[in-house]
Amino acid sequence: MKKYAGKIMQWTLVSLTLFIFFVICVNPHIAYAATTPTKTETTEAMGWTELTNTGDAAGIKETGTIDVSDSYRSTLHIDVCLSEAAAHDGTEVLVFTGSEAGVDGSWSELTRFVVLSGLTGIKSDFANQEAVGQTVLGITNPETGGADHDGKRIFLEDTATPAQSEIAYQIDNSGDASDTVTIIGGGLDHQKETTSDLWTVDTFGVSAVFSANIAIPDSASQVNVIFNNWFDTTGSDVYVRCRVTKFTDLN
């Protein structure tokens, strides 16, 4: 057996080398597992945009072509928030990918889904002018306004400057006695007494906010997202937003 030990060791090393080579060829990304990706910071393909439920172009919007041809891996970040006190029949979100950059006729449907169906938004008014970064918000009669259910996300709408709208997580409220709602994960923008509203759903554990992260196939060169708020003939106005994160290189 001793005279074969060297040959066995040689063949073992050869087999191991071939196996590693095969794995790398089949999945080249494994070869870069220890490298540092170059990430394009999350950018807005569509900033906060209000969609009505009027059955015309005001209720259906698209991001337009999002170029991901230079991306090793891409993720969409989609938000939809109620902004009207009306029973909602749902907002349809459609995501399309294209295999050829700059060729709009190459679209294929990646996914579609309907969100916030069956919910009714309820609004509370800001009682004070809030500074940037403020997390204890002056809200008029939060209990009466349905903002007395903690432990869920809420939508802070700025009707004058939609870009300053934001999503926050409510952790406490004072009831109608002291007119405050406490949040985390928000308060980054300057909410104004005269133009800002707090939107929620008057049910424990149910949010006026929907968010999703959608992975885009590596084979895609471009992406387009359509928000259809005319999914049914009745419903609520909503605010929508779409952002994208791209990994463009592996160093």
Side-chain angles (χ1 to χ4, degrees):
M1 290 297 294
K2 289 184 178 181
K3 68 178 182 179
Y4 295 111
K7 291 184 178 180
I8 292 173
M9 181 62 70
Q10 287 179 338
W11 280 110
T12 300
L13 292 174
V14 170
S15 299
L16 181 60
T17 301
L18 290 174
F19 174 76
I20 294 172
F21 178 76
F22 172 78
V23 169
I24 291 175
C25 287
V26 171
N27 188 357
H29 298 326
I30 294 177
Y32 301 103
T35 63
T36 302
T38 299
K39 183 177 78 171
T40 300
E41 292 298 326
T42 302
T43 55
E44 288 191 337
M46 175 188 284
W48 284 118
T49 302
E50 187 171 27
L51 304 184
T52 65
N53 193 255
T54 55
D56 54 24
I60 303 174
K61 298 291 184 183
E62 65 172 348
T63 60
T65 298
I66 304 169
D67 183 10
V68 294
S69 60
D70 61 344
S71 177
Y72 157 71
R73 186 161 296 159
S74 305
T75 303
L76 295 180
H77 314 283
I78 289 174
D79 301 302
V80 184
C81 303
L82 297 175
S83 61
E84 185 184 10
H88 195 36
D89 290 327
T91 301
E92 185 179 36
V93 182
L94 304 95
V95 180
F96 296 89
T97 61
S99 59
E100 302 174 69
V103 181
D104 288 341
S106 67
W107 296 116
S108 299
E109 184 177 307
L110 176 64
T111 186
R112 70 167 65 195
F113 46 89
V114 177
V115 304
L116 301 177
S117 178
L119 302 182
T120 300
I122 187 168
K123 182 186 77 169
S124 292
D125 297 323
F126 275 73
N128 303 304
Q129 184 94 353
E130 302 295 354
V132 174
Q134 179 70 11
T135 56
V136 180
L137 309 178
I139 301 295
T140 302
N141 295 331
E143 183 176 357
T144 301
D148 57 337
H149 302 292
D150 302 324
K152 63 180 179 180
R153 293 193 301 168
I154 56 177
F155 179 53
L156 306 179
E157 176 194 9
D158 189 322
T159 59
T161 310
Q164 292 187 171
S165 299
E166 57 188 314
I167 296 170
Y169 191 84
Q170 179 176 329
I171 61 171
D172 196 14
N173 77 94
S174 67
D176 292 349
S178 300
D179 292 341
T180 63
V181 166
T182 303
I183 63 171
I184 57 176
L188 302 179
D189 281 309
H190 187 86
Q191 300 300 337
K192 297 173 285 296
E193 177 182 359
T194 56
T195 61
S196 296
D197 299 315
L198 183 157
W199 287 97
T200 187
V201 174
D202 192 12
T203 305
F204 179 77
V206 179
S207 176
V209 176
F210 171 86
S211 297
N213 297 317
I214 300 175
I216 302 303
D218 297 349
S219 58
S221 292
Q222 55 187 8
V223 185
N224 189 24
V225 180
I226 297 175
F227 295 95
N228 175 18
N229 202 42
W230 190 236
F231 179 72
D232 206 332
T233 55
T234 59
S236 167
D237 294 350
V238 297
Y239 271 82
V240 299
R241 178 177 64 172
C242 180
R243 297 165 294 153
V244 60
T245 301
K246 298 193 293 184
F247 288 90
T248 55
D249 195 10
L250 290 173
N251 299 318

